Amino acid sequence: MKQTFTLLTASLFMLIALNSKAQDAADTDGDAPAKLKSYIGIFGGQSRALSDFKSTDYSNPKAGFAKNGFIMGIDGAVYFYKHFAIGYTVSKQDQGNLTIDDDQIISQGYTDDFKADGSTVTADKRYRSYNVLLGPQYTFVYHRLRFDLRASAGVIKSTATPSIAVSIQGVKAQTDVFTQESSKGTALAYGGSAAIRFDMGSGWDLMLKGNYINSKGPNIATTGRTSNLGRIVTKQPITEGQIVFGLVKEF
């Protein structure tokens, strides 16, 4: 995780260095762009589950069975020197709940692992979370277009994950129903984003933005187990790719 974040940040600053040289040349020729202003905006779009987070592989304890869902939030940046800014994002996303097919996959997996007569899986609640991310941003300018590149770090606050109750039939070692509890944990996260903003005039911009967020995710607890056979989830990694559209106000 730290190596990936370092690579994202290093790549960002390499692009900044190259563009700064080109910009200095333009400034010398008297063709300097308008001064960039800090901004804040609102956005909405789709948050797509990626990697282990979207996997439906029962044998993979990191598989989250997460779905694509809606995201909404606030995004902004404060410029402190020319094209350099500190950017921030606060978002709320929903990555869905388990489907009947997911229940059947998990049920069959436990039945096989326990060598049971059968098993019943009952899922409740959804993946819901808040992301709070902050990081360095650099903006390229071309006429009325703004291209924002940002590396971010922060936290993911889970307000719910699916709760999964499992009943095993015909196994004396596990007669009680055991439950993978819903988590409200907080975990560190890192990511990066690229955005295009179109200057509509009067300090208003339209924004199209792509985000990538990765986290080891919240801890997951299971209660009621009297046997350690079968799938055991202790942490749920979260990986999200997000495409959002927003309205921005400069100040």
Side-chain angles (χ1 to χ4, degrees):
M1 176 174 169
K2 291 181 179 179
Q3 291 178 345
T4 306
F5 180 67
T6 301
L7 180 61
L8 285 170
T9 305
S11 299
L12 173 61
F13 280 105
M14 287 178 65
L15 288 170
I16 289 172
L18 292 173
N19 189 69
S20 293
K21 290 183 179 180
Q23 191 61 58
D24 289 343
D27 291 348
T28 301
D29 294 338
D31 190 25
K35 182 179 178 182
L36 289 169
K37 295 182 179 180
S38 301
Y39 65 87
I40 187 170
I42 57 174
F43 64 80
Q46 185 182 62
S47 181
R48 301 181 65 87
L50 303 175
S51 191
D52 287 333
F53 192 36
K54 75 170 183 179
S55 173
T56 58
D57 181 4
Y58 165 86
S59 63
N60 177 7
K62 296 181 180 180
F65 296 81
K67 307 300 184 286
N68 299 332
F70 185 74
I71 175 176
M72 59 186 297
I74 297 172
D75 186 88
V78 177
Y79 288 91
F80 57 88
Y81 180 72
K82 293 186 176 180
H83 295 242
F84 293 88
I86 296 296
Y88 55 89
T89 300
V90 179
S91 65
K92 178 181 181 181
Q93 47 276 319
D94 184 322
Q95 304 290 166
N97 54 4
L98 272 63
T99 64
I100 294 176
D101 288 342
D102 296 334
D103 294 347
Q104 291 175 344
I105 291 171
I106 296 172
S107 175
Q108 187 60 53
Y110 279 119
T111 298
D112 294 343
D113 285 343
F114 276 88
K115 295 179 172 56
D117 295 337
S119 64
T120 302
V121 169
T122 305
D124 188 22
K125 298 186 179 181
R126 309 169 61 88
Y127 282 108
R128 287 194 171 111
S129 62
Y130 289 92
N131 293 349
V132 181
L133 300 167
L134 180 75
Q137 175 174 305
Y138 190 82
T139 300
F140 301 86
V141 179
Y142 181 74
H143 298 294
R144 300 180 71 176
L145 296 178
R146 312 286 187 259
F147 301 90
D148 304 319
L149 295 180
R150 185 188 304 173
S152 301
V155 296
I156 290 179
K157 169 59 180 175
S158 174
T159 57
T161 63
S163 172
I164 303 172
V166 182
S167 175
I168 304 294
Q169 288 92 49
V171 178
K172 293 182 179 179
Q174 183 64 63
T175 56
D176 294 334
V177 174
F178 62 89
T179 303
Q180 178 183 308
E181 301 289 352
S182 180
S183 174
K184 294 185 178 181
T186 301
L188 296 176
Y190 72 94
S193 65
I196 300 175
R197 288 185 287 126
F198 175 71
D199 181 5
M200 299 187 297
S202 300
W204 291 95
D205 298 346
L206 288 177
M207 178 182 71
L208 179 65
K209 185 174 184 179
N211 302 317
Y212 171 81
I213 301 104
N214 198 350
S215 173
K216 291 183 178 179
N219 294 328
I220 303 292
T222 300
T223 58
R225 265 190 181 269
T226 55
S227 171
N228 287 328
L229 290 173
R231 172 184 169 89
I232 301 177
V233 178
T234 58
K235 187 176 284 288
Q236 180 55 66
I238 295 175
T239 307
E240 300 162 338
Q242 302 168 339
I243 298 294
V244 301
F245 183 76
L247 181 64
V248 169
K249 175 60 178 176
E250 297 178 344
F251 60 88

